[in-house]
Amino acid sequence: MSNIEQTLSIIKPDAMERNLDGEIKLMFEKDGFKIVKGKKIKLAKSEAEEFYKVHETKPFYNDLCEYLSSSPIMVMILEKENAVLANRKLMGATNPKDAEEGTIREKFGISIDKNSVHGSDSVDNAKIEISFFFKN
Ligand code: CMP
């Protein structure tokens, strides 16, 4: 039975600053994802704080929100069979030094903070994150 899902992807400032967005989008498309919607935006720090609210008790929360709002990002809705899991697999581990070969973070990630991409971690969070950026 087919299970087409949507997930939210963000190309983070470190990748945008190195003009890697085209190459990363191509990796999604080659992996069978359809980019349903996409836009380049710059978040205010308060918006980054709202987006990453689940991490608000973590020691890295402030730096994370500073970073995500430091320069433009690309936000996209990706669609594919089991998209949430498939995107997490294509991104690789959160820390690029642990990411499997051929994954986006292994190829482009610089550090655990500058790890080039964000992807929703569950179907429920994908719905929340998509509606955060794409309000109809
Ligand atoms: P992301 O998938 O965008 O979700 C939260 C981000 O916090 C994560 O990627 C990392 O870039 C960042 N981060 C910084 N430090 C840590 C840490 N110790 N553990 C997990 N994520 C971290």
Side-chain angles (χ1 to χ4, degrees):
M1 216 176 74
S2 94
N3 182 42
I4 298 292
E5 291 173 356
Q6 292 190 338
T7 189
L8 184 91
S9 171
I10 302 177
I11 303 180
K12 296 188 181 184
D14 68 276
M16 293 297 285
E17 283 165 5
R18 287 175 287 156
N19 295 311
L20 293 170
D21 49 317
E23 215 171 320
I24 291 174
K25 280 185 189 171
L26 212 57
M27 286 180 77
F28 288 129
E29 286 169 340
K30 280 187 180 157
D31 204 46
F33 286 96
K34 182 175 163 197
I35 301 172
V36 176
K37 282 185 188 171
K39 61 183 178 185
K40 184 177 169 179
I41 54 170
K42 185 172 182 305
L43 294 182
K45 190 177 176 199
S46 59
E47 293 171 314
E49 286 168 349
E50 200 186 331
F51 178 74
Y52 274 135
K53 206 165 173 50
V54 289
H55 295 299
E56 79 182 322
T57 59
K58 310 268 172 65
F60 55 84
Y61 179 63
N62 187 58
D63 287 348
L64 177 63
C65 298
E66 284 279 357
Y67 171 62
L68 196 73
S69 57
S70 64
S71 69
I73 56 174
M74 180 71 68
V75 293
M76 292 166 292
I77 301 175
L78 303 181
E79 187 176 280
K80 171 184 158 137
E81 183 88 10
N82 302 314
V84 172
L85 205 65
N87 182 36
R88 293 178 66 74
K89 194 155 187 281
L90 181 60
M91 289 193 298
T94 306
N95 192 336
K97 72 173 165 58
D98 301 326
E100 263 184 62
E101 203 178 329
T103 61
I104 297 172
R105 286 168 170 162
E106 180 269 332
K107 280 171 82 98
F108 303 125
I110 295 169
S111 64
I112 194 163
D113 306 291
K114 297 183 173 178
N115 63 354
S116 300
V117 280
H118 166 85
S120 310
D121 65 359
S122 67
V123 174
D124 285 348
N125 280 337
K127 288 182 184 140
I128 294 168
E129 293 183 355
I130 287 170
S131 61
F132 182 85
F133 287 110
F134 299 93
K135 298 177 173 79
N136 292 311

